[in-house]
Amino acid sequence: MQHLKFGDRVTVVPVVHGSGDFAVEIRRLMLSEDFDCLAVPLPEQFQAQVEQAITQLPQVAAVWQAEQPRWAPDQWTPDQDEEDEEPSIRNATYVPIDPCQPVIAALRIALQEHMPRRFIDADVERFLPIATTLPDPYAVKKLQSGHFAAATIPVLGELKHPQIQLRAQVMAKRLRELAQSHQKVLALCSYAEWLPLKRAWNAETVLNEEPAGSSEPVESAEVAASSLTFLLGELPYVTGLYEQARYDLDDDENLSVDGIKQLLLRCREAYREEYQRQARPITPKLLSTYFRYVRNLALTERRLTPDLYTLIIAAQQIFGDQFAITLAEQAREYPFASMGETRNQLSMGIDRGRLPGGEVVRFKSRLPGHPVMWRTCQLQTRPPKVDQQKWKTRWNPYTQCSWPPEDNAIERFRSHVKDHALQLLGNDLARIEKFSTSLKDGLDIRETLRNWHTGDLYVREMPPVRGGLDCVLMLFDSPADPRDYPWRITWHAEHEDESTLSFFATDFSQEMVGPGIAQGQYGGAMFLFPPRSIPDIWENPRFDFVDTMEERLLVAACHYSKEKHIAVLSDRPPGIAWKKLAQRKSKKLIHVPMKRFSQQTIQQLRMFHVLNGQEVRSYAAHFIRKS
């Protein structure tokens, strides 16, 4: 800690602005040592408004001051700066009243402890923010502030900008004044200001006249909830967790990581609430895979904790676009923000801000954190309700067709289920006998172990399976509620590689995803392959003697199947009643457990799209997305 000491009475701790980990570290430092004065790197004229805004936390605000223009609008010259291309937009500097900002957290503690506070920065005419690339602030949990600062010395650049030197001299002068009236002073600064401040302290340069700053008034306002992502250093949701932990007196030492986990769990709940049956199953195993992927992505960017872009990219690739959109929406939710936006609130964007009066200014932070790099991510969102209603009114019920990629996927899965059923049928016909001269189709381990005391070996013989399978039943939701699946239809194959398909599904008209594109979900389906022309089973009075939709599919399968066996994919095996229905037509059901297949794959196969004409296939891929 000696490198943080400026003389016997002043301790200068560099911090990473906008870091919740450093805010927790500064709190630990202030509560573990007996400081009698706090000095922060802000101009003195900001003190009243900043401290007043801190008392309003957890409502997030911003304190700003407009800069005086360098020239009048009618004094344009060809060699003006690029920054001055928009003479109507003024510059302004602001202080984010962020609970995870180390300087704000320190002032908050000092106010509660009635500790003297001093704003020691120079009030320059045009403030120059300097962001420094540093190691991930999460490392301060193990290294603490002293060792973290020592580790950054070799990578800190030599900043010789005149304004930085001037501000360092002003702060060094005021720290010397504080050292004469206080026994133990804690001063905070950024890593960009730390070494220039140390050199100015050691040089003991006499500053005759301090710079004259802007004469504009310092103002403050609450920040709109939709703008908090641009103001806060941490994610708004994680910032809310810090504030909630403070209110509940809970442990917040590791919220920078645990908060991400809580965000994902909350996102999973919101995703299930919004998409319900269409939502992918977000299992603990899948979440574990997601967090490993996020860790690896963060490490490739030389970070210990992920940023929002990393979280969204990983969610898009593992859970799909809709979960990634839900994650982005939940990440910007701040539970303590005011409901709705008013004219008295401040709105922020990328380097821009709209003041409560409506004026747009170019914003510069007085407490700049890590350099921010904005990156884009392509996500397919749900269309607005007004567009869905417009597409629904233009729907032509006489030109409906399917989407070929989904047809190919479900046909491949049908073949897969058929192969499983034939394999199970062969297992039922297997014969086990004592080994004599040939191993036949292999050693039967179970029977051999059962007769281990006799010393005999038993082998298995698999006789050839006679016949085949031309009908597969898939019961995704059984027992199914008829109110959930009002659409029941029989589709005929367009070509010889498709099955004749009868199914019951959700009402596709309630989920329009594009012009002439709707989305439904299978509840159950019957596949006949090779395809053949059959009447619509839902209107055929021959099958009216059964009560449920699953039984109607079953009796139709028994009626139209030309083979003896029928494959049934479902969660539970067919009951006695279903087997008796099959026996009426001399059929036998082969149950294929659904747990043999990936639940995520089945969930995706259940979702299908209905197109309003074959011409829609040319652009359907642009709108179709999986939940």
Side-chain angles (χ1 to χ4, degrees):
M1 293 285 289
Q2 281 301 118
H3 54 284
L4 301 181
K5 296 288 187 180
F6 284 26
D8 297 332
R9 297 186 175 185
V10 179
T11 301
V12 178
V13 179
V15 297
V16 177
H17 293 311
S19 167
D21 293 321
F22 259 92
V24 172
E25 170 63 15
I26 293 301
R27 182 188 65 192
R28 182 199 64 80
L29 183 63
M30 293 183 67
L31 298 180
S32 62
E33 299 190 29
D34 190 18
F35 295 103
D36 60 356
C37 182
L38 173 67
V40 297
L42 292 173
E44 190 173 0
Q45 62 266 34
F46 278 81
Q47 183 165 359
Q49 293 285 359
V50 166
E51 293 185 350
Q52 175 62 29
I54 288 175
T55 62
Q56 303 300 318
L57 286 173
Q59 288 187 350
V60 177
V63 178
W64 76 90
Q65 182 185 39
E67 292 182 344
Q68 293 179 341
R70 186 179 298 174
W71 42 266
D74 58 349
Q75 296 175 343
W76 182 87
T77 58
D79 57 346
Q80 67 181 13
D81 295 342
E82 181 182 354
E83 182 182 350
D84 300 327
E85 288 182 0
E86 301 177 73
S88 61
I89 298 182
R90 293 193 299 169
N91 292 330
T93 61
Y94 72 96
V95 178
I97 310 303
D98 178 1
C100 292
Q101 178 65 253
V103 171
I104 301 302
L107 287 170
R108 199 175 186 182
I109 295 173
L111 284 168
Q112 293 173 345
E113 300 294 329
H114 302 286
M115 180 190 300
R117 304 157 307 279
R118 182 75 182 274
F119 286 46
I120 62 172
D121 200 2
D123 183 18
V124 294
E125 183 178 352
R126 297 177 67 86
F127 179 74
L128 174 68
I130 297 180
T132 307
T133 302
L134 296 167
D136 195 305
Y138 185 77
V140 78
K141 293 189 175 300
K142 295 293 184 182
L143 299 178
Q144 296 188 349
S145 53
H147 294 91
F148 188 95
T152 61
I153 292 178
V155 299
L156 291 177
E158 184 73 14
L159 298 176
K160 295 185 178 180
H161 192 279
Q163 185 181 113
I164 296 295
Q165 305 297 329
L166 176 63
R167 290 176 53 217
Q169 292 175 9
V170 172
M171 287 191 283
K173 174 186 175 182
R174 294 177 178 174
L175 285 177
R176 292 191 191 96
E177 295 173 355
L178 291 176
Q180 295 177 1
S181 57
H182 296 85
Q183 294 296 320
K184 201 169 184 179
V185 179
L186 173 63
L188 304 181
C189 67
S190 69
Y191 275 87
E193 301 159 348
W194 180 39
L195 293 183
L197 178 58
K198 191 175 185 66
R199 285 192 292 270
W201 175 276
N202 294 332
E204 297 186 1
T205 304
V206 177
L207 190 65
N208 296 325
E209 184 177 356
E210 295 188 9
S214 175
S215 60
E216 296 289 334
V218 178
E219 303 176 76
S220 67
E222 183 184 355
V223 180
S226 59
S227 302
L228 291 179
T229 306
F230 302 96
L231 180 87
L232 300 178
E234 301 285 355
L235 297 178
Y237 184 87
V238 176
T239 303
L241 292 180
Y242 275 103
E243 285 298 284
Q244 189 64 45
R246 176 188 177 89
Y247 179 81
D248 296 335
L249 300 179
D250 286 341
D251 183 19
D252 61 357
E253 288 289 333
N254 208 38
L255 268 183
S256 55
V257 172
D258 292 342
I260 299 298
K261 299 176 184 178
Q262 295 186 41
L263 169 61
L264 261 294
L265 295 178
R266 176 67 190 97
C267 180
R268 181 175 65 175
E269 295 175 3
Y271 174 68
R272 288 173 175 172
E273 292 172 0
E274 181 175 1
Y275 292 96
Q276 299 178 357
R277 286 188 176 89
Q278 298 179 13
R280 294 187 181 186
I282 310 298
T283 61
K285 182 178 180 180
L286 206 57
L287 283 175
S288 176
T289 303
Y290 171 79
F291 283 122
R292 283 200 305 272
Y293 187 33
V294 167
R295 178 202 63 190
N296 294 338
L297 286 179
L299 291 178
T300 59
E301 297 183 355
R302 299 182 179 182
R303 294 176 58 92
L304 297 177
T305 54
D307 57 3
L308 181 59
Y309 180 80
T310 300
L311 294 173
I312 292 177
I313 287 294
Q316 180 190 27
Q317 297 182 4
I318 292 181
F319 303 123
D321 284 11
Q322 301 313 305
F323 188 89
I325 293 172
T326 305
L327 174 60
E329 293 173 349
Q330 291 298 318
R332 66 179 188 176
E333 291 293 327
Y334 183 67
F336 302 100
S338 300
M339 300 300 293
E341 296 187 10
T342 64
R343 298 184 61 183
N344 295 326
Q345 290 181 331
L346 173 72
S347 300
M348 296 192 65
I350 302 177
D351 299 330
R352 292 290 190 274
R354 178 176 284 107
L355 303 182
E359 179 186 3
V360 176
V361 297
R362 187 182 295 108
F363 260 155
K364 297 180 289 186
S365 176
R366 286 274 180 176
L367 303 174
H370 273 289
V372 177
M373 179 175 63
W374 296 99
R375 294 179 282 186
T376 59
C377 175
Q378 296 295 330
L379 297 173
Q380 290 182 315
T381 62
R382 261 187 171 181
K385 291 293 184 182
V386 61
D387 290 341
Q388 294 187 39
Q389 189 62 31
K390 178 177 64 175
W391 298 332
K392 185 175 179 180
T393 57
R394 296 178 179 178
W395 189 271
N396 183 359
Y398 300 104
T399 58
Q400 296 174 175
C401 64
S402 60
W403 193 43
E406 290 177 339
D407 295 340
N408 297 336
I410 198 72
E411 288 295 335
R412 287 194 300 268
F413 186 65
R414 177 199 58 79
S415 300
H416 199 39
V417 173
K418 172 187 173 183
D419 294 339
H420 269 271
L422 290 175
Q423 182 181 1
L424 293 173
L425 178 60
N427 291 338
D428 292 340
L429 299 176
R431 292 196 301 267
I432 300 172
E433 60 184 39
K434 188 183 296 185
F435 170 74
S436 58
T437 60
S438 173
L439 286 175
K440 301 210 172 187
D441 290 315
L443 189 68
D444 188 275
I445 300 297
R446 179 179 299 176
E447 193 66 23
T448 300
L449 292 177
R450 186 179 292 123
N451 296 275
W452 186 260
H453 61 284
T454 65
D456 295 327
L457 298 179
Y458 286 80
V459 295
R460 176 188 294 261
E461 183 179 7
M462 306 286 293
V465 178
R466 295 182 180 180
L469 281 173
D470 65 348
C471 184
V472 175
L473 282 182
M474 297 184 189
L475 303 178
F476 299 108
D477 187 6
S478 180
D481 189 342
R483 294 169 295 184
D484 294 335
Y485 302 101
W487 190 38
R488 299 147 200 175
I489 195 171
T490 297
W491 275 356
H492 294 93
E494 293 186 39
H495 50 79
E496 61 182 8
D497 293 330
E498 282 187 352
S499 304
T500 299
L501 174 63
S502 294
F503 62 88
F504 58 91
T506 58
D507 185 4
F508 65 88
S509 64
Q510 300 302 315
E511 187 67 28
M512 305 296 296
V513 300
I517 307 171
Q519 180 177 289
Q521 188 175 35
Y522 291 117
M526 177 191 72
F527 296 82
L528 286 175
F529 187 85
R532 67 208 67 168
S533 179
I534 63 173
D536 188 356
I537 70 169
W538 305 103
E539 297 180 0
N540 194 337
R542 176 179 306 196
F543 308 131
D544 288 345
F545 67 93
V546 294
D547 298 326
T548 66
M549 297 180 292
E550 299 97 313
E551 290 175 346
R552 197 175 190 93
L553 285 178
L554 177 61
V555 297
C558 295
H559 181 77
Y560 293 113
S561 175
K562 298 178 181 179
E563 301 291 344
K564 181 179 179 181
H565 298 92
I566 297 174
V568 179
L569 174 71
S570 61
D571 281 324
R572 294 177 292 182
I576 299 297
W578 286 16
K579 291 180 180 179
K580 288 183 177 180
L581 288 175
Q583 288 174 0
R584 290 185 181 183
K585 293 290 185 178
S586 300
K587 305 295 183 182
K588 185 177 180 181
L589 305 180
I590 304 175
H591 178 238
V592 181
M594 196 173 293
K595 63 182 180 182
R596 286 176 173 261
F597 306 97
S598 167
Q599 295 302 308
Q600 184 175 359
T601 300
I602 291 178
Q603 185 70 17
Q604 293 302 300
L605 289 171
R606 287 187 64 184
M607 286 192 302
F608 67 97
H609 292 82
V610 183
L611 309 184
N612 200 203
Q614 293 188 356
E615 68 278 2
V616 181
R617 291 174 174 173
S618 61
Y619 62 83
H622 179 72
F623 293 93
I624 290 177
R625 77 275 189 242
K626 298 296 185 180
S627 295

